[in-house]
Amino acid sequence: MRTSRSWWWWSGVIVGAVGLGVSYLAAGLLRVRESPVVAVAEGVRDVTPDGVVHWAIDTFQTRDKQVLLIGMFVILAVVFACLGRLARSRWWFTVVGYVVLGAIAGVAVAVKPGFRAVEIAPVFVGFLAWLVGLAVIVQWLRRWELVEASDDAGADPTHTRRGFFVAAGAVGGVAALSGFLGALAGGQREAVERDRRLLRVDQVTKPTLPRGVKIDVDGVAPWQTSADDFYLIDTAFLKPAIRVNEWELRIHGMVDNELTLSYDDLIARGITEDWITLNCVSNEVGGGLIGNAWWSGVLLKSILEEAGVQDGADAVLQTSEDGWTCGTPLSALMEDDRNAMLAVYMNGDPLTVEHGFPVRTIVPGLYGYVSACKWVVDMEVTTFGGIEAYWTSRGWSELGPVKIASRIDVPESGADVSTGSLVCAGSAWKQHTGIEGVEVSLDGGAWTPATLARVPSDDTWVQWRAEVQVDEGDHELRVRAIGNDGDVQTGVERDVLPDGATGWHTVEFSAS
C-alpha cells in the first residue's frame, strides 16, 4: 500500500494545532489575557469594512463573534493542511507560511492598547512548536515513503507506518494537552470569581422594588431585570478577567490633576445608587436589548471635578481593558441631576465578569456605544475633534442620546385571544426625560390612552396597561409614547444605524 497523500494534509493540521495549543498554554502561564488567535480575531474585527460589520450584526446578532472564531479556525485548518502538503516537496515553503502566520499574530498582539513585550512570547513559542512538530512529522512520513519505494524485499513498511502514527499521535497529544493545561494555567477567571464572592462594599444596599412600578399583567417583562437576563453586547472575544487588586483607572488628558485610582481608592469616594434602564442602540423597534437594574457606584462628576477639567474639553474617551473605546459627551458626565457613575454593583451584587467586573460606566439617557464602557481602565478628557471611538468610526452618530420608544408585550404577535375586552400591556422609555403618556391604536383607529405605573425617576422605563374591545377576526395593535418634554414617538420607520431605530411597535393577533 502506497503512502496516501492525505497524510501530508492531515499532518499539516496536526502540526498547526500543536502550535496553537502551545501558544495558548504560554499565554495562560504568562497571564496574558489574549492568546494570539483571539488577538487576530479582534484585529480582523477592527479592520472589517463597516458594511460587513453591520451585515454580521444583523445576521448573527450576539453570535457574531462565535461565527467569526469558527470561520477563522476553519480557514486556519485549510491553511495548515495546505502547508502540510507543501512540506512533502518544498518544506521551506511551509516554514515561510509559518513565518507569515506568526507575523500576522505578532502584529495583532503588538497593536493592542497597553501592549507589553511579554505578550509577544506566546506567538514566538507557538512558532517554535510549529517547527518542531513539522520536523517530527516530516521525518517519519519521509521514512515511510522511502521504505515503501525501496526494492529491498526485506524492508518492512509496517514499522515506519506505525512510527509515523506514533509520532502524529504524540504531536496531536501535545496539542490537546497544551490546550487543556492552557485553560488551567489561565485560571484568572477562577481567581476573579473568587474575588467576586469575597467582595464586600458596606455602602451598597440590596434593591427594594419601588411601590407601584408593576402593572401585574402576565407576560410583561419584569420591571427589574436580573443580571442573567440583562442583555449583553460587546466586542470582546474573550471577556477580560481583572482581579480587584489589579484594577486601575487612569484619568488624564485635559485635566489639572491626573488621577490613577485603585478599586479601594474609588470606593473610598462614596457610593451612589439608582434605578437605571439601559438599552442598546442596536435594539430594533419592539426588541429586547433593554434592561433595568439597581446600580451602585461612584459619581463620575465628583471624580472629574477632583481631576480639574480644563476649558475647551467636551468629551471623555473611555477605553476598556480589551481596547474597545467610546467617546462620551463631557456635559452628560458633569450634570448635577444625571447619576452618571462608575458602577461596581448590579442589583446588590458585584458586577459579573460579563457585565464589566470590577468597574464599568453607566450614563443614564445615552446609548451604551457612547457611554457604557465595561472593564473601564482609562478615561482621557479631550475633545470630539481629537478622538475617534470604535463605533463612531464605523458610521454611528457621535452623541447617542436615547430615543423615545415603547413596546407591546401583551398580546404577543400571532396570539389567539378571546373577543371582547382585551388587556394589552408593555413598557415605554426615554431615559433622563421620562414618559408622560402611552397610547395604543387598534386596527389604525383612534389612539387610546393607557394607564401608567409609577417610576422612581425619569431614568427608568415605565410599564403601561390599556384595554381595547376586539371583535372576531384578525387585528393589528400599535403603541406610541409621549415624553415629559412633549416629544411624541414617531411612526416613521428607520433602521438602527446611525443613532437608533424609530417607528411604532406593532403586533398582529386573532380574536375568536
Side-chain angles (χ1 to χ4, degrees):
M1 181 183 72
R2 303 293 294 177
T3 303
S4 172
R5 292 185 178 181
S6 65
W7 285 115
W8 288 94
W9 300 96
W10 282 111
S11 295
V13 175
I14 294 171
V15 173
V18 77
L20 297 182
V22 169
S23 70
Y24 181 54
L25 173 58
L29 291 172
L30 295 172
R31 297 292 190 267
V32 173
R33 185 185 75 82
E34 294 176 323
S35 67
V37 172
V38 172
V40 171
E42 293 182 345
V44 170
R45 172 202 67 194
D46 292 343
V47 300
T48 299
D50 297 342
V52 177
V53 172
H54 299 150
W55 171 84
I57 293 173
D58 291 340
T59 304
F60 303 112
Q61 301 295 319
T62 58
R63 298 184 297 276
D64 57 337
K65 292 184 285 296
Q66 293 92 323
V67 171
L68 175 57
L69 281 175
I70 291 171
M72 278 189 55
F73 278 115
V74 170
I75 293 172
L76 279 173
V78 173
V79 171
F80 287 141
C82 292
L83 292 177
R85 179 63 183 84
L86 282 172
R88 187 170 188 261
S89 55
R90 297 178 179 87
W91 63 268
W92 55 272
F93 272 18
T94 303
V95 174
V96 170
Y98 291 150
V99 170
V100 171
L101 291 175
I104 293 172
V107 170
V109 170
V111 299
K112 299 296 290 183
F115 167 72
R116 297 171 298 148
V118 69
E119 294 174 356
I120 208 71
V123 177
F124 183 70
V125 172
F127 176 74
L128 291 180
W130 280 335
L131 297 183
V132 173
L134 179 68
V136 172
I137 291 289
V138 167
Q139 179 187 25
W140 279 103
L141 266 176
R142 290 200 186 285
R143 285 184 182 178
W144 185 359
E145 288 188 334
L146 287 172
V147 169
E148 288 190 330
S150 173
D151 294 331
D152 184 359
D156 181 10
T158 304
H159 173 71
T160 52
R161 185 167 60 245
R162 185 184 303 117
F164 164 73
F165 287 133
V166 169
V171 173
V174 170
L177 182 61
S178 296
F180 174 73
L181 293 177
L184 293 180
Q188 183 84 347
R189 176 63 182 259
E190 183 178 344
V192 169
E193 293 296 347
R194 185 167 60 251
D195 285 353
R196 287 189 67 251
R197 291 192 300 269
L198 298 176
L199 189 60
R200 298 290 184 273
V201 176
D202 294 337
Q203 303 170 61
V204 171
T205 65
K206 291 290 186 179
T208 300
L209 213 62
R211 189 173 181 179
V213 296
K214 297 192 302 181
I215 56 169
D216 293 325
V217 175
D218 289 340
V220 175
W223 188 79
Q224 176 185 339
T225 311
S226 69
D228 290 339
D229 294 332
F230 213 98
Y231 74 93
L232 288 168
I233 299 290
D234 56 65
T235 63
F237 284 84
L238 183 66
K239 303 297 185 280
I242 311 171
R243 301 202 62 179
V244 169
N245 61 358
E246 295 175 352
W247 178 84
E248 283 188 343
L249 173 64
R250 181 188 177 211
I251 300 175
H252 61 107
M254 297 176 66
V255 296
D256 296 329
N257 308 299
E258 183 173 318
L259 299 177
T260 300
L261 303 178
S262 68
Y263 192 88
D264 289 341
D265 292 334
L266 180 68
I267 299 303
R269 282 160 171 77
I271 294 293
T272 184
E273 298 182 299
D274 204 359
W275 290 102
I276 299 172
T277 296
L278 303 180
N279 61 294
C280 182
V281 70
S282 297
N283 197 30
E284 298 179 348
V285 173
L289 299 180
I290 182 169
N292 184 57
W294 176 247
W295 300 96
S296 307
V298 179
L299 278 175
L300 264 167
K301 180 178 184 293
S302 61
I303 295 176
L304 291 172
E305 287 177 340
E306 182 181 346
V309 176
Q310 296 173 357
D311 292 340
D314 64 3
V316 174
L317 181 66
Q318 302 188 62
T319 302
S320 168
E321 199 273 344
D322 73 323
W324 182 82
T325 56
C326 66
T328 310
L330 178 63
S331 58
L333 303 179
M334 299 297 289
E335 286 184 16
D336 290 329
D337 62 343
R338 193 190 301 251
N339 218 2
M341 68 174 77
L342 291 170
V344 294
Y345 271 57
M346 177 183 187
N347 290 330
D349 293 315
L351 295 169
T352 63
V353 170
E354 288 72 20
H355 285 295
F357 182 86
V359 181
R360 64 168 293 169
T361 311
I362 299 290
V363 184
L366 297 182
Y367 287 122
Y369 80 100
V370 299
S371 65
C373 186
K374 300 174 185 175
W375 315 291
V376 60
V377 294
D378 190 275
M379 287 185 165
E380 179 187 0
V381 179
T382 180
T383 64
F384 277 112
I387 61 173
E388 188 174 75
Y390 184 85
W391 284 117
T392 51
S393 67
R394 287 162 170 77
W396 297 82
S397 65
E398 190 170 68
L399 301 181
V402 168
K403 292 184 175 180
I404 189 170
S406 54
R407 187 180 72 195
I408 300 169
D409 291 341
V410 179
E412 294 182 341
S413 188
D416 292 317
V417 303
S418 300
T419 58
S421 180
L422 172 68
V423 173
C424 46
S427 300
W429 56 91
K430 189 180 184 184
Q431 295 94 303
H432 206 58
T433 298
I435 299 296
E436 179 182 273
V438 171
E439 299 173 331
V440 297
S441 171
L442 182 67
D443 299 329
W447 290 99
T448 300
T451 300
L452 302 185
R454 296 179 180 179
V455 288
S457 76
D458 292 336
D459 290 332
T460 73
W461 59 5
V462 59
Q463 294 187 348
W464 59 266
R465 179 186 189 278
E467 291 188 28
V468 295
Q469 295 294 318
V470 296
D471 299 323
E472 184 175 355
D474 296 332
H475 298 280
E476 181 183 79
L477 183 71
R478 60 183 55 170
V479 63
R480 71 180 183 184
I482 304 167
N484 284 334
D485 57 356
D487 182 21
V488 179
Q489 183 181 347
T490 180
V492 177
E493 296 183 0
R494 292 193 178 94
D495 191 19
V496 297
L497 188 69
D499 58 1
T502 64
W504 296 326
H505 186 212
T506 302
V507 298
E508 297 178 350
F509 61 94
S510 299
S512 58

